[in-house]
Amino acid sequence: QVQLVESGGGLVQAGGSLRLSCAASGRTFSSNGMGWFRQAPGKEREFVATISWNGGITHYADSVKGRFTISRDNAKNTVYLQMNSLKPEDTAVYYCAAGKTGWANKNVIQYDYWGQGTQVTVSS
C-alpha cells in the first residue's frame, strides 16, 4: 500500500518557522517529482512548491518565494518543506504529493499520490 504521510504542522506565531516532512512508504519515489500544495478553508487547493526527482530543479509559488524551501532525501524517501517568516495567510492544510513524472510540476493534475495533509496555523 502506497502512503505519503505528512508531519510537522502546528500552531506558530507570525514570523515563526515550521518544517514539514512527507515520508513515503510502499514504494520508492526517487524517480518522481514531488510537490507541496495547500488548501485554506473555502478556497481551492493551490500550488506551493515542487522539486524534481534529483532535487536539481525547484519552483515556488510567488507568495512563498524567498520564505519556503523544498528539499528531498531520496535515501529516506522523504520530502521536506522548510517554512520561514510565516504569515497568517499561510494558514492552511498542507499536502504533499508524488508526481506522475520526474519533473518539477506546478499543476495539481500531474500528481497521482497524495498525503492526508497536515494543519498549519499561523497566528497574528
Side-chain angles (χ1 to χ4, degrees):
Q1 181 182 0
V2 177
Q3 277 191 313
L4 297 177
V5 180
E6 302 95 337
S7 61
L11 174 63
V12 64
Q13 287 189 332
S17 297
L18 285 173
R19 188 194 195 203
L20 305 184
S21 298
C22 172
S25 61
R27 58 160 283 188
T28 179
F29 287 101
S30 59
S31 298
N32 297 77
M34 300 292 291
W36 285 96
F37 294 79
R38 67 187 182 187
Q39 188 166 17
K43 295 187 177 182
E44 292 187 353
R45 191 168 299 190
E46 65 174 2
F47 164 74
V48 175
T50 181
I51 188 167
S52 60
W53 69 276
N54 64 352
I57 297 173
T58 58
H59 296 299
Y60 298 91
D62 288 343
S63 59
V64 307
K65 203 171 293 183
R67 299 187 297 122
F68 290 11
T69 302
I70 188 171
S71 61
R72 66 189 299 161
D73 184 337
N74 285 343
K76 296 182 178 179
N77 221 16
T78 301
V79 178
Y80 305 96
L81 185 68
Q82 177 66 44
M83 306 187 296
N84 298 329
S85 302
L86 283 161
K87 304 175 181 180
E89 51 263 43
D90 294 318
T91 295
V93 177
Y94 284 69
Y95 299 89
C96 77
K100 299 176 181 177
T101 72
W103 300 109
N105 205 302
K106 302 178 183 181
N107 195 330
V108 66
I109 67 172
Q110 295 298 327
Y111 292 83
D112 52 8
Y113 290 103
W114 292 84
Q116 83 290 346
T118 185
Q119 176 70 46
V120 171
T121 303
V122 184
S123 63
S124 57

